[in-house]
Amino acid sequence: MGTIAENLAHIRAALPETVTLVAVSKFHPAEAVREAYDAGQRIFGESRPQEMVAKYETLPRDIEWHMIGHLQTNKVKYIVPFVSLIHSVDSWRLAEAIDREAAKAGRVIDVLLEVHIAREETKFGWDASELEHFLQDGSLTGLRNIRIRGLMGMASLTEDTAQVKREFARLHSVFTSFKERYLPQIDTLSMGMSGDYPTAIREGATMIRVGSSIFGDRK
């Protein structure tokens, strides 16, 4: 591993211009975020609301904070005043809670709908057909204080690259189908992490979430 700045430069050099890099800073200290910031990175991903709030309060205000982890409805209020994008909207209850809290804060919040594509049962996310039901009946698109920007998904944690490729390809096809039928405005497909982002990019990702390849292993 190089320094944080070297790692960022290395990843950026290989990224197509169409792909946005989210530096996953969860479990890394504010100093590490600052190092990445000084190297030009502005978008950071966190998975715990309290940790995100603590970093937001001590770091530069032009940082875009992305919530990438499973979000409990009772924690939404902590991040609503400043979060830029919530990747992990995985249920109707959560979508409603974000809409409600965003209205209180006088904001419209950008979100991604998380689709379950992995084999593991532990991963969160909508089943694509269940999500389609909420899009067909207009419930999700009727929420006034959230703006659906696209989809997010996590592939299985496996050495089987063919399976990972299939899962990303499936998410891309769901994205294309939903864009054509229900969500003409969507432009973001967030998929791919340190171990599999090159595959995700080949399968159509427009946003990748990279942590350990930038910051090293979590403390």
Side-chain angles (χ1 to χ4, degrees), residues 4 11 44 87 98 102 119 156 183 195:
I4 288 172
I11 292 165
F44 293 90
H87 289 231
I98 296 168
R119 282 196 186 158
S156 298
L183 299 165

Side-chain angles (χ1 to χ4, degrees), residues 22-56:
V22 180
V24 178
S25 48
K26 63 179 186 179
F27 311 132
H28 293 284
E31 302 83 68
V33 177
R34 186 77 214 208
E35 238 179 285
Y37 177 91
D38 290 342
Q41 181 65 23
R42 291 293 179 272
I43 304 174
F44 293 90
E46 291 285 334
S47 63
R48 293 177 176 175
Q50 295 93 323
E51 191 180 345
M52 187 196 265
V53 169
K55 287 175 180 167
Y56 166 75

Side-chain angles (χ1 to χ4, degrees), residues 206-218:
T206 67
M207 185 174 277
I208 59 172
R209 310 178 302 274
V210 180
S212 53
S213 296
I214 296 170
F215 297 105
D217 292 331
R218 294 174 196 161

Side-chain angles (χ1 to χ4, degrees), residues 15 168 191-205 208 210:
L15 282 191
F168 286 148
M191 60 185 193
M193 302 189 292
S194 285
D196 56 21
Y197 74 81
T199 304
I201 291 169
R202 285 193 293 273
E203 296 305 321
I208 59 172
V210 180

Side-chain angles (χ1 to χ4, degrees), residues 79-155:
I79 64 169
V80 147
F82 66 90
V83 70
S84 287
L85 180 65
I86 299 174
H87 289 231
S88 44
V89 177
D90 57 6
S91 70
W92 168 247
R93 273 186 66 231
L94 180 57
E96 270 192 317
I98 296 168
D99 183 63
R100 191 168 57 246
E101 293 297 335
K104 285 186 206 165
R107 291 190 69 200
V108 175
I109 293 188
D110 286 347
V111 303
L112 304 179
L113 305 173
E114 182 174 359
V115 178
H116 185 281
I117 55 171
R119 282 196 186 158
E120 295 108 310
E121 288 305 308
T122 53
K123 296 275 198 301
F124 294 100
W126 306 79
D127 178 72
S129 55
E130 180 198 14
L131 177 53
E132 184 160 21
H133 162 75
F134 282 99
L135 292 170
Q136 269 173 341
D137 73 5
S139 324
L140 276 167
T141 46
L143 296 174
R144 291 281 165 258
N145 288 78
I146 65 174
R147 185 189 296 115
I148 300 170
R149 292 291 305 276
L151 304 182
M152 182 269 246
M154 293 167 74

